Each structure stands twice: as C-alpha cells, then as structure tokens.
C-alpha cells in the first residue's frame, strides 16, 4: 500500500489534483501495482480526504456539521491511548512528537497523521511508513513542508548518520 501512496505523492501535485478513485485505480493498475495494494491505498486515501474535510472546522464555527471534529488548541497536551501506543510504537510516536515540538506539524495535522497511521495495516507502524503518512497529510492540504522537514521526511536513515 505504501508504494502506491508514494507513487500518488510523486505523480500528483496536490490532493485536489488527484483523479477520482475509479480513474486512479485504472492508472495504478496499468502501472503494475497489485489490486490488493491499490484497493487498500484507495480506501486509505478516501479516509484521508474525509478526515481532512472534518478538521477544517473550528469549534466556534456556526456552519460546522454536528459530526465535525473540534481542533485542539496549540497549547493542548496530547495523551495517547493504549491502542495508539501499541499500533504506532515508540519510534513513530517519538517522531510525531519531534515534528509537533518543532512546530512543523500543528495539532490539527498531528491528529490527521495519527488518524491515518491508525488506519494503516499491520503495526507497529515503521518510521519510513510514518514519514510517508506525514507527506501525504501535507499533500492533501496542498502544502509542502519546508526544505529541512522535507529532507528529513524523504531521507533514508543510515547507520553512520550523525544527529546535530
């Protein structure tokens, strides 16, 4: 599934530039992806689309639908459920915390990353898969992370890398 998401990220500029599911499914199939991976990715992308629409609403917005999620305040503290701890693992949660503490993943985007990471099959979610999820969240909003964050998200970890 993650190979399909990387292909979508690399070939479509933003989430709103992506074709409808039926057209995308045909395109991905013609490129050679397995049908099971395609269906998982399309389902995951649909969940991303729906979740991103919900977080655009604010608690004080009179037009917000009753089911819309309330955005967390910038000063709020996130407590993880046991299911999140189990599915995401320490490395992924540490990376999410790093991005949030660095102010490159605001609370609403963090919640979307968590939602989509919880929707990922298997577990715990690998750090490489989490980085793809973070990129896809930025992609959905038509935003590109700054160069240093993009480098961190696209960098393949090496054993001899020195942290600064």
């Amino acid at each position: 599934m993650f190979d399909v998401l990387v292909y979508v990220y690399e070939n479509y500029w933003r989430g709103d530039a992506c074709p409808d599911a039926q057209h995308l499914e045909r395109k991905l199939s013609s490129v050679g992806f397995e049908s099971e991976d395609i269906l998982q990715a399309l389902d995951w992308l649909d969940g991303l689309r729906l979740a991103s629409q919900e977080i655009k609403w604010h608690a004080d917005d009179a037009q917000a639908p009753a089911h819309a999620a309330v955005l967390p305040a910038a000063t709020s503290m996130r407590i993880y459920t046991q299911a999140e701890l189990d599915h995401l693992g320490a490395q992924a949660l540490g990376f999410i915390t790093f991005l949030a503490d660095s102010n490159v993943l605001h609370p609403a985007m963090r919640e979307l990353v968590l939602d989509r990471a919880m929707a990922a099959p298997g577990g715990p979610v690998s750090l490489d898969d989490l980085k793809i999820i973070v990129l896809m969240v930025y992609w959905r909003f038509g935003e590109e992370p700054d160069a240093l964050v993009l480098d961190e998200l696209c960098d393949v970890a090496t054993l001899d890398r020195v942290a600064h």
Side-chain angles (χ1 to χ4, degrees), residues 9 131 135 138 144-155:
Y9 179 83
K131 288 178 179 183
L135 281 172
Y138 273 103
E144 186 173 320
D146 69 36
L148 292 175
V149 175
L150 190 58
D151 182 53
E152 183 64 34
L153 292 173
C154 295
D155 183 37

Side-chain angles (χ1 to χ4, degrees), residues 69-134:
V70 176
L71 295 177
T75 57
S76 65
M77 183 167 117
R78 180 60 157 85
I79 306 295
Y80 297 98
T81 66
Q82 190 61 50
E84 290 170 331
L85 294 171
D86 293 341
H87 188 72
L88 299 173
Q91 193 174 25
L93 287 172
F95 189 70
I96 291 170
T97 301
F98 163 73
L99 293 175
D101 289 349
S102 301
N103 294 320
V104 295
L105 193 64
H106 59 76
M109 287 181 80
R110 179 196 63 216
E111 292 306 309
L112 188 52
V113 167
L114 289 167
D115 175 74
R116 295 292 75 212
M118 291 299 291
V125 175
S126 74
L127 186 56
D128 289 338
D129 290 348
L130 179 71
K131 288 178 179 183
I132 293 167
I133 292 169
V134 173

